[in-house]
Amino acid sequence: KGYVAFAAPYPGKIIPLDLAQLGGSFLCQKDAFLCAARGIDIEVAFTRRIGAGLFGGEGFILQRLTGDGMAFIHAGGTVIRRDLAAGEKIRVDTGCVVGFAPTVDYDIQFIGGFKNALFGGEGLFLATLTGPGPVYLQSLPFSRLADRIMAAARFQRRDEKTGIAGLGGESPRGTLPGGRGVWAGVQPRPPMTAADAAERHRQLDHLAALVAERNEPTAICGDFNLTPYSPEFTDFARRTGMRDARAGRGPGITWPTSLPILGIPIDHCLVSPEIGVAGFRRLAAFGSDHYPIAAGLFIEDDA
């Protein structure tokens, strides 16, 4: 007899679900699933309503857990279970829905009006849940946690110069050992304002075009000012065909060093398919507000 321990991917709470008591099925947000007993099936479930499909964001693609054993899901902040009566409705922020029984009807509704459009923010689209059945809610989804860390941290610029190889700044670049391919250091502009975010997107677009144009083994490392969960990061990896050297090696929090547990990973090393990854680790802090990272790379046919 042995024991296996499972840890949550970020601070929050683990919710045990006895599917036998929930009718043998449960729907939860994508990425909420943590682990389950043998015999529990996991599949992608799509909501039935067109509103959820158009505006669902985090809540559109759901995970369906089926079986009669124990399953465990994860949520952030305070977790509330609400048992809805037949026909009872609640409206919540889309990101705050953790999961619900399949008997609960789920839809995304637009909350109209000038004031809502002007001040609504995330609350402009709300999830409407209609009973009967249990619903689990969270107060702090991971996307909001990351935003609050970014907003609250003491951002020390320390005369940093941002840029991307070929775009300006003082980004280092060179050739890989043996002259087979290139490496580049990057630091797109931090998204402190909407204009900064637009410039960061422009820089990443330009870099993606450069990588595609060169068509050779490439390694790009540095402060991307993006988490690997962001759509911009996913789009950059898709367009370039590159992969994250950190993949499969834990979350690897790199910023800020003042919050080593609640920080986020924004420093990355992306490599093209011809490059293998022998290792990846975070190094000790050395005075910056970022942790340094180290990646062991090799050309695949040299392994």
Side-chain angles (χ1 to χ4, degrees):
K1 183 178 180 179
Y3 295 90
V4 177
F6 293 89
Y10 63 93
K13 292 180 174 62
I14 296 174
I15 305 170
L17 300 172
D18 187 345
L19 295 186
Q21 297 181 1
L22 293 170
S25 180
F26 194 79
L27 294 168
C28 60
Q29 286 271 22
K30 68 180 190 299
D31 302 329
F33 173 75
L34 186 61
C35 60
R38 179 180 296 180
I40 301 297
D41 293 325
I42 308 162
E43 60 184 8
V44 174
F46 292 89
T47 55
R48 299 184 299 273
R49 296 291 188 85
I50 188 171
L54 293 176
F55 308 115
E58 295 175 84
F60 175 46
I61 299 178
L62 301 169
Q63 292 176 322
R64 185 191 306 276
L65 311 178
T66 56
D68 58 2
M70 294 295 298
F72 299 86
I73 60 176
H74 179 261
T78 299
V79 177
I80 298 174
R81 171 172 171 155
R82 179 76 178 268
D83 290 295
L84 300 179
E88 182 181 2
K89 293 185 178 182
I90 58 171
R91 288 181 176 180
V92 295
D93 186 281
T94 54
C96 293
V97 179
V98 180
F100 48 88
T103 54
V104 175
D105 187 64
Y106 174 73
D107 191 21
I108 305 295
Q109 294 187 351
F110 173 73
I111 308 302
F114 174 76
K115 291 183 179 179
N116 285 325
L118 186 61
F119 303 113
E122 291 182 81
L124 192 59
F125 295 99
L126 296 179
T128 300
L129 302 167
T130 306
V135 174
Y136 285 91
L137 307 174
Q138 63 183 345
S139 65
L140 193 60
F142 180 75
S143 58
R144 191 173 304 167
L145 172 64
D147 289 342
R148 291 181 180 178
I149 291 173
M150 184 76 76
R154 297 178 179 178
F155 212 103
Q156 301 181 31
R157 299 298 289 270
R158 290 189 174 89
D159 298 322
E160 292 177 345
K161 292 182 173 63
T162 64
I164 288 175
L167 254 184
E170 296 183 357
S171 300
R173 50 195 178 272
T175 58
L176 295 172
R180 302 178 55 199
V182 298
W183 64 268
V186 299
Q187 188 185 25
R189 182 172 296 179
M192 304 304 293
T193 66
D196 289 337
E199 174 62 15
R200 179 192 62 183
H201 299 343
R202 187 187 73 83
Q203 291 179 326
L204 291 172
D205 285 343
H206 185 83
L207 181 59
L210 288 176
V211 172
E213 180 182 329
R214 298 189 70 99
N215 192 29
E216 60 182 329
T218 304
I220 302 175
C221 304
D223 173 11
F224 279 69
N225 280 306
L226 286 172
T227 70
Y229 325 110
S230 66
E232 292 82 4
F233 187 93
T234 302
D235 181 66
F236 181 85
R238 178 188 59 80
R239 293 173 57 189
T240 60
M242 305 183 82
R243 69 185 191 280
D244 189 353
R246 177 188 286 109
R249 295 175 171 86
I253 292 167
T254 63
W255 177 88
T257 54
S258 58
L259 295 171
I261 298 179
L262 298 178
I264 54 178
I266 60 175
D267 300 89
H268 311 286
C269 182
L270 298 179
V271 297
S272 59
E274 307 90 341
I275 298 177
V277 180
F280 183 95
R281 63 192 180 101
R282 187 186 77 180
L283 304 179
F286 64 97
S288 169
D289 58 344
H290 291 250
Y291 286 99
I293 58 176
L297 309 177
F298 60 91
I299 302 296
E300 287 285 5
D301 58 9
D302 288 344

